[in-house]
Amino acid sequence: MRKWTHPQDFVALIAGVYAALSPIWTSTTTRASWTMVVLGVLTAAVAIASLARPDMMSSEGALAVLGIAFIVAPWVMSYSGSSTRALAWTSWIVGIVTLAVGARDLQMTRSAHRGGGVAAAH
């Protein structure tokens, strides 16, 4: 697998940056803001690692886990109410995108490892 060539990892990178910056333009609380910033920065960092090392299965798995964290965060961190509904939707959408990217990357990497290389992953 070639470095910096997986468009889905760029999608995860953009989603992470968007999540980290979303408290700037969305009604929020301190707890919700920090949740989005931390999860967003972690997602962007893992996406960069995945772009740099596309054969590293742990980064794809981490993206999937971060996607799940985004999805459950509004309930766990108590920002699913009406005053923070927009941030909750941002979290859910970013979570679904990140989970999908992580699952797809994991599938591609497993196929490449089983099939013996790049040809199986594309």
Side-chain angles (χ1 to χ4, degrees), residues 8 63-64 67 71 94-107:
Q8 65 272 16
L63 281 175
I71 292 168
V94 168
I96 291 167
V97 168
T98 305
L99 176 59
V101 166
R104 177 68 179 134
D105 269 357
L106 201 53
Q107 179 186 20

Side-chain angles (χ1 to χ4, degrees), residues 32-49:
S33 292
W34 278 109
T35 301
M36 292 298 283
V37 169
V38 169
L39 288 176
V41 168
L42 286 173
T43 299
V46 171
I48 289 171

Side-chain angles (χ1 to χ4, degrees), residues 27 29 32 73-75 77-89 92:
S27 295
T29 63
W75 295 292
M77 300 305 285
S78 303
Y79 62 94
S80 62
S82 60
S83 64
T84 54
R85 180 74 60 188
L87 195 64
W89 274 103
W92 292 322

Side-chain angles (χ1 to χ4, degrees), residues 51-122:
L51 283 162
R53 299 259 332 260
D55 59 338
M56 189 169 58
M57 288 178 65
S58 61
S59 65
E60 286 93 8
L63 281 175
V65 169
L66 285 165
I68 293 168
F70 270 115
I71 292 168
V72 300
W75 295 292
V76 173
M77 300 305 285
S78 303
Y79 62 94
S80 62
S82 60
S83 64
T84 54
R85 180 74 60 188
L87 195 64
W89 274 103
T90 300
S91 186
W92 292 322
I93 292 167
V94 168
I96 291 167
V97 168
T98 305
L99 176 59
V101 166
R104 177 68 179 134
D105 269 357
L106 201 53
Q107 179 186 20
M108 286 176 59
T109 304
R110 283 184 179 167
S111 294
H113 285 284
R114 273 191 235 133
V118 176
H122 294 290

